[in-house]
Amino acid sequence: MAASRNRGNTGGNPRIMVAVTAAVIIVLVGLFLLNQAASKKDDGMKLLDDAPSTASQPMMGSGEAGVTIVEFGDYKCPSCKAWTERVWPQLKQDYIDSGKANFAYINVEFHGEESTLGAKAGEAVYQAYPDRFWDFHKALFDAQPGADHNSLWLTEEKLLDIAAETVPEMDKDAFLSALNGDSAASMAELDRILVRQYGVKATPTIMVNHIEIQDPFDYEAIRSAIEGELQP
Ligand code: CA
């Protein structure tokens, strides 16, 4: 009888039934969305509404390429050094050198003043001698200590040494003036805006057109995203 009364009470109140049905629908929609998110995570990719703008960013590769790969990176970040050493050479060989994709680098400043100094140095070199940018970029990651990367190493003195080797046309005064000038600062600010706009939380973050790669060291996911985007 108790069971019968309970059924009667619930079944007899249409407002409760509507509320229960609505709650069930909300839960089911939630589960559906969770499954969708999970299935995207399974293939290592997250779809974004659009691709980040690469206007005014250093770009390597063919301007005609249909795929643009963007790295959000930080010269002070050990994972970015590791990515540049372990993933980047294969990516360059397979897709950038072949003209299938191009590659842009956007600064992130997650490690304080040294990150900011590195970002502005890259911008200064890129504006003065764009053809020298990638040599400077690689040399700066090479200079990051493999152990104890938290120690102070990214200094003006270190940057001057690297610039002297990789951008010999740029003398010391010109480099320091550009490094501390408004133009490099405003380019670094543009990158900060992109970092906020795209919700970049970790470095390196790798995007293939409008696809964010969940694990930047998962080359198979990067490859799969590029191949998918190359399809007509
Ligand atoms: Ca930039």
Side-chain angles (χ1 to χ4, degrees), residues 120-189:
K120 288 198 298 180
E123 299 293 356
V125 168
Y126 177 61
Q127 284 174 17
Y129 296 95
D131 291 347
R132 297 291 193 190
F133 172 81
W134 295 105
D135 289 340
F136 180 83
H137 168 91
K138 183 180 180 303
L140 193 45
F141 277 125
D142 286 346
Q144 184 189 120
D148 196 19
H149 51 83
N150 285 322
S151 63
L152 178 68
W153 65 271
L154 210 168
T155 60
E156 270 193 8
E157 291 69 29
K158 176 63 77 178
L159 291 168
L160 278 169
D161 288 347
I162 295 170
E165 281 176 26
T166 57
V167 198
E169 307 90 335
M170 202 171 184
D171 70 30
K172 182 180 173 180
D173 289 344
F175 178 77
L176 287 176
S177 170
L179 174 64
N180 296 303
D182 291 343
S183 190
S186 61
M187 288 295 101
E189 175 59 20

Side-chain angles (χ1 to χ4, degrees), residues 56-58 105 107 123 187 191:
S56 303
Q57 303 297 350
Y105 181 82
N107 292 292
E123 299 293 356
M187 288 295 101
D191 291 8

Side-chain angles (χ1 to χ4, degrees), residues 31-42:
L31 283 173
F32 175 74
L33 291 175
L34 268 178
N35 280 335
Q36 290 288 99
S39 71
K40 275 175 193 163
K41 263 187 175 171
D42 283 346

Side-chain angles (χ1 to χ4, degrees), residues 195-218:
V195 167
R196 285 197 296 274
Q197 187 180 348
Y198 285 85
V200 173
K201 298 281 191 298
T203 49
T205 286
I206 305 299
M207 295 180 186
V208 174
N209 288 349
H210 65 300
I211 301 164
E212 182 178 332
I213 306 300
Q214 303 286 61
D215 173 3
F217 290 90
D218 182 353

